[in-house]
């Protein structure tokens, strides 16, 4: 049995295949994380994968269904690290997934340079905030704002961890697209695949999924758009397939 603390709960993942520890006052994963876990390239049989800013470990858990490779999740917040660690234990995935409590900026030195096949990250999206806002909910503030790591930190560390030819995949906001592409090229991650995510048809995109190859040759593919909700405010068939493995 896994012990739950305070307002933690066990939620289902992937059409009830797995469970994950969540807390409404500390952290609950978003659709963005699920979309990134589906979008990112994964070696099927073997390989080494790192998920930066792993939160409660949702991306490593989802990736474990797509690869037999070893997965490391890195989380700076001790409470979230502990939630992720217990979720891995609950799902009996300790042989495949390791959760590390630490700062992503220390990971190349700690884990090794140029060793990994894939790096994924659902990073904080927003610039830093005032101490006042920070104090309202520290867990949310750190997860959402660039307090402990910036976009540049994420991309630099991803490049340092990756082998030549390794792939990095990120989810972010469209408003940062030019920053992301500029930084990826600065740190030798050539953008290769880009997908825009729209809340509904005829709405502006509110999310991007982007993948680059370390020292890859220039050739960016723009993938078909992903629409989250249909006109009836229900998930589209593609999103249902991603979330539940079915479009019905």
């Amino acid at each position: 049995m896994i012990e739950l603390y305070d307002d933690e709960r066990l939620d289902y993942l992937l059409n009830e295949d797995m469970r994950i520890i969540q807390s409404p006052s500390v952290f609950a994963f978003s659709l963005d994380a699920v979309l990134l876990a589906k979008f990112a390239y994964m070696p099927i049989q073997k390989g080494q994968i790192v998920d930066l800013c792993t939160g409660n470990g949702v991306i490593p858990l989802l990736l474990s269904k797509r690869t037999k490779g070893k997965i490391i999740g890195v989380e700076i917040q001790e409470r979230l690290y502990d939630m992720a660690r217990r979720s891995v234990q609950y799902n009996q995935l300790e042989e495949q997934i390791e959760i590390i409590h630490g700062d992503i900026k220390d990971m190349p030195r700690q884990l090794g340079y140029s060793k990994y096949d894939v790096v994924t990250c659902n990073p904080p999206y927003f610039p830093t905030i005032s101490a006042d806002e920070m104090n309202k909910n520290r867990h949310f503030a750190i997860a959402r704002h660039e307090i402990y790591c910036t976009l540049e930190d994420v991309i630099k560390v991803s490049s340092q961890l990756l082998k030549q030819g390794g792939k990095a995949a990120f989810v972010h906001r469209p408003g940062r697209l030019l920053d992301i592409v500029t930084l990826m090229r600065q740190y030798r991650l050539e953008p290769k695949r880009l997908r825009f995510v729209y809340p509904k048809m005829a709405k502006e995109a509110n999310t991007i999924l982007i993948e680059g190859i370390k020292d890859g040759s220039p050739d960016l593919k723009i993938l078909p758009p992903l629409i989250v909700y249909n006109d009836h405010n229900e998930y589209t068939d593609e999103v249902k397939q991603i979330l539940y493995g079915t479009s019905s």
Side-chain angles (χ1 to χ4, degrees):
M1 280 294 292
I2 298 297
E3 188 172 356
L4 298 178
Y5 305 116
D6 301 326
D7 61 354
E8 290 178 352
R9 63 178 190 257
L10 267 174
D11 287 346
Y12 287 108
L13 262 183
L14 281 185
N15 199 25
E16 306 186 4
D17 277 353
M18 291 189 290
R19 303 287 287 275
I20 186 168
I21 297 170
Q22 305 221 87
S23 161
S25 65
V26 177
F27 189 89
F29 71 84
S30 68
L31 179 63
D32 292 359
V34 182
L35 296 181
L36 178 61
K38 179 70 173 179
F39 172 81
Y41 160 82
M42 279 296 121
I44 295 172
Q45 292 300 328
K46 59 183 181 178
Q48 296 194 83
I49 300 116
V50 179
D51 181 52
L52 303 173
C53 309
T54 203
N56 65 345
V58 59
I59 290 176
L61 290 172
L62 292 170
L63 294 181
S64 73
K65 291 292 185 179
R66 298 187 54 211
T67 179
K68 294 178 181 176
K70 298 287 187 181
I71 305 167
I72 295 171
V74 180
E75 175 53 47
I76 197 167
Q77 294 196 66
E78 187 169 6
R79 178 74 191 278
L80 294 185
Y81 152 78
D82 187 56
M83 290 166 68
R85 181 189 59 77
R86 284 180 285 131
S87 288
V88 169
Q89 188 179 348
Y90 181 88
N91 291 286
Q92 300 181 339
L93 289 167
E94 299 99 319
E95 293 295 311
Q96 184 180 14
I97 300 174
E98 177 185 2
I99 305 296
I100 292 175
H101 178 221
D103 189 324
I104 69 163
K105 296 187 287 295
D106 297 331
M107 289 306 113
R109 179 180 52 79
Q110 185 173 331
L111 298 176
Y113 290 84
S114 305
K115 280 182 55 177
Y116 295 89
D117 300 285
V118 180
V119 175
T120 58
C121 187
N122 178 9
Y125 292 150
F126 307 110
T128 52
I129 54 175
S130 68
D132 223 27
E133 292 173 291
M134 174 81 165
N135 290 336
K136 288 177 184 172
N137 189 317
R138 185 174 179 82
H139 297 292
F140 287 166
I142 291 169
R144 295 171 179 170
H145 296 83
E146 294 180 339
I147 293 165
Y148 284 136
C149 69
T150 64
L151 178 60
E152 183 168 3
D153 292 331
V154 165
I155 291 172
K156 179 181 179 180
V157 168
S158 298
S159 179
Q160 289 173 331
L161 290 169
L162 284 172
K163 299 174 179 176
Q164 187 172 24
K167 298 184 178 182
F170 310 110
V171 60
H172 218 291
R173 293 289 177 257
R176 301 297 300 277
L177 176 58
L178 294 183
D179 295 335
I180 292 166
V181 169
T182 300
L183 287 166
M184 287 177 74
R185 283 192 149 174
Q186 180 181 332
Y187 289 103
R188 300 165 50 199
L189 297 177
E190 184 61 32
K192 300 291 280 187
R193 293 196 301 139
L194 173 64
R195 191 171 197 191
F196 292 91
V197 182
Y198 299 80
K200 294 183 79 171
M201 288 287 289
K203 296 285 188 183
E204 290 184 2
N206 62 358
T207 304
I208 55 169
L209 298 158
I210 188 165
E211 183 177 76
I213 295 181
K214 186 170 180 179
D215 296 326
S217 56
D219 182 24
L220 176 63
K221 291 181 169 53
I222 309 295
L223 303 180
L226 174 58
I227 313 297
V228 177
Y229 293 103
N230 62 25
D231 291 337
H232 305 292
N233 293 316
E234 299 167 338
Y235 284 134
T236 59
D237 286 348
E238 184 174 4
V239 172
K240 285 180 185 175
Q241 183 69 37
I242 291 168
L243 284 172
Y244 312 120
T246 175
S247 58
S248 58

